[in-house]
Amino acid sequence: MSGEVLYIRNIAIMATLLTASNIDLKERRIPNITVIAMFIYGLLDIVYVLVVEKGFTDLSKEILIEKVLGFIVATLICVLSRYISKEGLGAGDVKMLAALGFTLGLTVFLQMMIFTAVFALILTLIMLATHKLDKTSTLPFAPYMALGMGVVFLINL
């Protein structure tokens, strides 16, 4: 994908994640429209590559495989997380992570998840230490996704 198109797509992803984060902080939910938008960005990537490459080439196959693997791995991570922890991830978190897995592809999704997990761990430990949380508290996860995604975009500039 060309640099300009990738830049615009990344701005759209961040704007969508920031919108979802704002709503998640206030209402403890991620709206379906933000999840749908995220999936659409991934579909637009595929359409763009098919048009630029003039059909189904090796590059477009690689991109499609990367996106499908990202979706599968994201879904597996979410299912395992929901199974292991009683209320670890909400349904909106699961849907958004699956959409991000598809849109970003496996490699970038895993990078984002590493930073997301690190931010979530550090900030949760700080909030527990300062007694702003207890072990029964729930936290919105979309802001951590936005932080993780922001770091990945900055690293890949």
Side-chain angles (χ1 to χ4, degrees):
M1 234 183 303
S2 75
E4 296 84 19
V5 172
L6 197 57
Y7 184 73
I8 291 167
R9 186 207 64 170
N10 292 349
I11 289 172
I13 288 171
M14 281 308 300
T16 303
L17 275 175
L18 290 172
T19 300
S21 296
N22 187 36
I23 294 168
D24 200 14
L25 283 167
K26 291 178 184 175
E27 302 175 19
R28 300 298 167 121
R29 69 182 190 86
I30 297 176
N32 285 335
I33 190 69
T34 59
V35 174
I36 292 167
M38 200 63 68
F39 270 115
I40 289 172
Y41 304 147
L43 290 172
L44 289 173
D45 287 349
I46 293 168
V47 170
Y48 176 82
V49 170
L50 288 173
V51 168
V52 169
E53 292 289 314
K54 297 183 171 92
F56 208 63
T57 64
D58 288 341
L59 177 63
S60 55
K61 288 177 192 174
E62 286 177 34
I63 290 171
L64 186 57
I65 289 168
E66 180 83 4
K67 288 181 176 301
V68 170
L69 287 174
F71 175 78
I72 290 169
V73 168
T75 303
L76 288 174
I77 289 170
C78 292
V79 168
L80 287 173
S81 175
R82 284 191 56 98
Y83 179 74
I84 292 169
S85 63
K86 293 178 186 173
E87 297 188 32
L89 290 176
D93 300 324
V94 170
K95 291 184 283 186
M96 182 58 83
L97 286 169
L100 280 165
F102 176 74
T103 298
L104 300 173
L106 180 62
T107 305
V108 177
F109 173 77
L110 291 176
Q111 291 172 352
M112 185 226 38
M113 281 304 296
I114 289 168
F115 288 109
T116 297
V118 168
F119 282 121
L121 177 65
I122 291 170
L123 293 173
T124 300
L125 289 174
I126 290 169
M127 288 188 279
L128 282 169
T130 59
H131 304 290
K132 300 210 189 283
L133 290 178
D134 61 30
K135 292 181 181 180
T136 63
S137 300
T138 60
L139 292 171
F141 196 61
Y144 298 114
M145 289 185 243
L147 283 170
M149 192 76 262
V151 170
V152 169
F153 286 155
L154 288 174
I155 289 171
N156 292 322
L157 278 180

